[in-house]
Amino acid sequence: MLILLTTKNNFKWPNPNAGVFAESHSSYRIFLTIVFILFSVSCCASDEVKAQGHEQKTVTNSPTTGPQILLVELSTRLSGLLNKPVAVDRDAPASLYLESDKQPSSLTTTPLPALRHALHEHGLVLFNGEDTALIVLQTRAKHLPLPVLISIEPDRSELEWVTYISDISDVPPKQVYSELRHIIPVYGHMSIDNRARSALVTGPFGSVKRFQAELNRLISSHKP
Amino acid sequence: MRSLLFTIAVFCLFTTHTIFADQQKSPIVLDTNAVSLASVSEAAASRFGKTVLIEPGGLSQVVVHGLNLSTMSMSEFQAALSRNKLTAIESKVENTLIIMRYISARQAEVPLITSINASYDEWQWVTMVLETGKLHAPHLVPLLRPLVQKEGHFAGSNEANSLIVTAPYGIIRRLYLIIEELNTNVDSAND
């Protein structure tokens, strides 16, 4: 629009009856050149912005210094460790980064906690089901048939997703919700049942443990 | 008029470029390992000795990595389908399985189960009426609804004090355990 406004006074559109752009040949060429330059500049700028965005995403999502491995290879390794098939979400990324001190060849010796950690770093969760293990996006983890816990079991992995029911009869439910909701990841779930005086929490076991520790602190602060 | 046409043309050029650039930059996902749903259904038909039908309008390619199609069990098959937001449902027509999308599953003739000890696969879609005991069913809806896939069904009946849930069996079993535990906590809160 800017171009059209600035060239309005001396720009002449081609007259189809007067040959090929006979009257306005030079103006038309200038106009096209300007459009082409603007288009190229916008393309370059757009690509640069996207590249920067991609770089930032890579930095935040994964240790870029580590070697890249295919998720398919990792799931095969997990299948061997867990001795059951591992099905993978169709929207999962195709490749992951291992920690910087690991080599792709060391995948065969990488223990389960390290593999869980690599998945977690890439927004994925390992769910160890009855017959089949699953690798799913964190956004879908709360829709899995997760184990229901009523006490903190120390043997569980920090990154394993669970549903936990906690007794909050000694603390005002509103306070529990407002003060402890932030401990649970956004893709998790937390709700309070006033009648049962219970908090229902779904998230990684590490977050659940922190939730219970904070709850214990609240309970002790309410005791005379 | 001509300037308007020119502006529209330039705008279209920019838009097309942006769309193509976005397509090129989209992240690579596991689709590269996808196989055709038709071949999976053929494998399931020979493995389980059933006629397998595919609901139209769904995916043509699925990711079933980690699944050995020639030796898979029904629960492994269902788990792999679930990762593609698909499920297999027994049809009323004898010996027939229908592969359908999650979004269609709640309107299909899924089994109505009355006991949580039924022998169903974790990812098999079922409907169950869950009695909520001392808890008020409609109050439980906002508490528990986020734990069920949005494609499922979750409703509370005030009169029957029950929840009506259609979802994979594993999810319903989890809800059952949660409600049972909450009821125990109501008892201890009243004491």
Side-chain angles (χ1 to χ4, degrees):
Chain A
M1 285 303 284
L2 183 67
I3 297 159
L4 290 171
L5 286 173
T6 51
T7 57
K8 196 177 174 184
N9 292 336
N10 48 13
F11 179 76
K12 290 177 182 174
W13 288 93
N15 181 357
N17 300 324
V20 183
F21 308 144
E23 288 179 15
S24 58
H25 188 68
S26 60
S27 303
Y28 191 65
R29 278 176 60 182
I30 291 166
F31 175 75
L32 279 181
T33 312
I34 292 170
V35 169
F36 177 74
I37 291 167
L38 275 178
F39 183 63
S40 311
V41 168
S42 84
C43 293
C44 294
S46 158
D47 284 349
E48 203 171 308
V49 167
K50 278 174 185 167
Q52 281 174 357
H54 182 69
E55 245 172 56
Q56 283 168 359
K57 196 178 172 187
T58 314
V59 169
T60 50
N61 282 353
S62 59
T64 47
T65 48
Q68 199 175 19
I69 52 158
L70 292 175
L71 183 57
V72 169
E73 292 170 7
L74 190 143
S75 69
T76 309
R77 164 73 177 146
L78 280 171
S79 182
L81 278 173
L82 301 170
N83 203 23
K84 60 179 81 168
V86 178
V88 182
D89 242 12
R90 68 173 291 119
D91 300 322
S95 57
L96 311 173
Y97 293 89
L98 278 181
E99 287 171 36
S100 54
D101 58 337
K102 300 268 192 315
Q103 293 301 316
S105 56
S106 71
L107 187 63
T108 49
T109 55
T110 310
L112 185 58
L115 296 178
R116 268 189 197 275
H117 185 73
L119 289 171
H120 175 76
E121 287 292 312
H122 292 80
L124 298 168
V125 176
L126 172 68
F127 170 67
N128 195 358
E130 282 175 3
D131 307 312
T132 314
L134 304 174
I135 293 174
V136 299
L137 300 180
Q138 276 179 6
T139 51
R140 296 174 186 164
K142 67 180 173 188
H143 298 146
L144 294 169
L146 301 170
V148 179
L149 307 183
I150 52 170
S151 62
I152 299 294
E153 298 171 3
D155 297 340
R156 287 193 181 267
S157 159
E158 294 260 320
L159 298 175
E160 182 184 352
W161 276 59
V162 296
T163 291
Y164 177 64
I165 301 170
S166 179
D167 178 19
I168 56 162
S169 47
D170 298 328
V171 198
K174 277 186 183 171
Q175 190 184 2
V176 173
Y177 191 85
S178 61
E179 290 196 20
L180 304 185
R181 175 66 186 94
H182 64 277
I183 293 175
I184 309 303
V186 285
Y187 297 131
H189 171 71
M190 178 179 168
S191 55
I192 306 274
D193 188 88
N194 287 328
R195 191 171 162 80
R197 305 285 283 179
S198 302
L200 181 64
V201 179
T202 297
F205 185 63
S207 301
V208 167
K209 274 207 302 194
R210 281 194 295 281
F211 171 86
Q212 187 57 51
E214 285 293 309
L215 183 63
N216 291 342
R217 185 188 59 77
L218 276 181
I219 291 169
S220 60
S221 71
H222 274 80
K223 281 182 181 168
Chain B
M1 183 62 188
R2 281 174 175 169
S3 65
L4 181 66
L5 284 174
F6 224 100
T7 313
I8 291 169
V10 171
F11 175 74
C12 290
L13 202 63
F14 272 98
T15 314
T16 315
H17 165 74
T18 313
I19 290 168
F20 276 105
D22 280 348
Q23 279 178 354
Q24 284 170 359
K25 295 280 175 188
S26 63
I28 304 162
V29 292
L30 265 178
D31 268 355
T32 46
N33 295 305
V35 294
S36 78
L37 182 57
S39 64
V40 174
S41 72
E42 276 172 28
S46 71
R47 177 80 183 100
F48 306 123
K50 295 184 180 204
T51 306
V52 180
L53 304 174
I54 301 173
E55 181 204 45
L59 298 165
S60 60
Q61 301 263 305
V62 288
V63 174
V64 289
H65 175 72
L67 190 67
N68 186 338
L69 293 176
S70 56
T71 59
M72 64 184 172
S73 66
M74 181 56 90
S75 78
E76 291 168 6
F77 176 58
Q78 290 275 19
L81 286 181
S82 76
R83 294 305 92 217
N84 296 276
K85 294 211 163 193
L86 295 170
T87 186
I89 289 173
E90 291 271 357
S91 165
K92 291 283 178 197
V93 180
E94 199 179 332
N95 227 14
T96 304
L97 274 178
I98 304 173
I99 296 177
M100 61 176 65
R101 294 170 295 166
Y102 263 18
I103 203 160
S104 312
R106 67 177 173 190
Q107 286 149 1
E109 294 177 15
V110 297
L112 176 66
I113 62 169
T114 51
S115 158
I116 208 66
N117 299 317
S119 57
Y120 286 96
D121 297 320
E122 270 188 330
W123 291 103
Q124 183 171 356
W125 278 63
V126 295
T127 294
M128 186 170 181
V129 179
L130 287 163
E131 288 176 15
T132 56
K134 292 165 188 134
L135 300 161
H136 191 214
H139 286 176
L140 284 177
V141 175
L143 267 64
L144 301 179
R145 181 66 182 95
L147 301 181
V148 178
Q149 289 89 339
K150 66 176 189 290
E151 296 90 351
H153 176 73
F154 194 102
S157 162
N158 196 15
E159 291 76 13
N161 202 31
S162 304
L163 297 170
I164 305 157
V165 189
T166 301
Y169 175 70
I171 303 293
I172 292 182
R173 191 181 54 202
R174 174 164 70 133
L175 293 176
Y176 176 84
L177 292 174
I178 290 169
I179 291 166
E180 202 176 46
E181 186 53 37
L182 290 178
N183 266 306
T184 312
N185 287 0
V186 172
D187 288 339
S188 50
N190 289 341
D191 292 343

